[in-house]
Amino acid sequence: MEYSNSKPRSLLILFATVFLIISSCRADPDPLQDFCVANLQATDITVDGFPCKPTSSVVSDDFFFSGLSAPGNTNNMFGSNITQANVANFPGLNTLGLSMNRVDLVPGGINPLHSHPRATELGFILQGEVLVGFVSTANAFYSKTVKAGESFVIPRGLVHFQFNVGTGNAVVITAFDSQLPGVVLAPFTLFGSTPAIPNDVLTKTFQVDQSVINLLKSKFSGSTNY
Ligand SMILES: *[C@@H]1O[C@H](CO)[C@@H](O)[C@H](O)[C@H]1NC(C)=O
């Protein structure tokens, strides 16, 4: 009797725990007011987001952003450019829990392997044909060629890429459930940090010689951007 009673109870505890874990893994917290336009000049120490501008100095333009209307300059080693519309340049987004990017890719161009620690990404192919892929924590690779008008989703925090496999330029619009998703760009994080990760750590990690690490460091050091 007691045994058969304890089973549903432990199941309940299991479900409650899973629910708590899932609900604590949400993206940005809900706002507590209509808006809190970021005061990007504020020097106060803040834990989440930026302090609000006084409502008296909030203007319509705080809620508009034209930066995604033009392509970025793709004349770089990856043949791509990421134009960001996040709280850092679009102050009306502060506390609202979302942001967008525009990704421009020349034929053969790539938005290299990277992850967003604070957001899931929903992408829409505006133009072109793009191979999109990510790797799960179970090390499974999920990938598909996505065409104009089609969409994809990259679960939060997972390593992913977009690669233009079409014959013309590609444009991808991405939305994030964070006002500042953050980006960990694999090549720059591993081989271009300041100061650099010691070679011994990298040779042991990747099971290769110093020369391989030095070659990779020579390509990515001294920059957080490409
Ligand atoms: C992306 O494009 C912008 C606007 O043309 C440019 O200022 C920036 O340097 C480009 N970034 C890269 C990484 O090429």
Side-chain angles (χ1 to χ4, degrees), residues 71-76 80-83 225-226:
N73 181 353
T74 50
N75 188 17
N76 54 56
S80 69
N81 195 300
I82 321 303
T83 309
N225 214 335
Y226 58 83

Side-chain angles (χ1 to χ4, degrees), residues 144-162:
K144 193 175 164 79
T145 299
V146 197
K147 300 191 173 93
E150 299 176 344
S151 304
F152 63 88
V153 65
I154 308 292
R156 178 174 171 174
L158 300 184
V159 171
H160 63 284
F161 65 87
Q162 287 113 24

Side-chain angles (χ1 to χ4, degrees), residues 195-214:
I197 299 175
N199 270 22
D200 288 349
V201 173
L202 292 166
T203 55
K204 195 76 178 172
T205 297
F206 291 106
Q207 300 286 301
V208 294
D209 294 340
Q210 303 267 353
S211 59
V212 177
I213 298 302
N214 288 336

Side-chain angles (χ1 to χ4, degrees), residues 26-31 48 95-97:
R26 289 182 322 172
D28 291 7
D30 287 336
D48 268 324
T95 75
L96 299 185

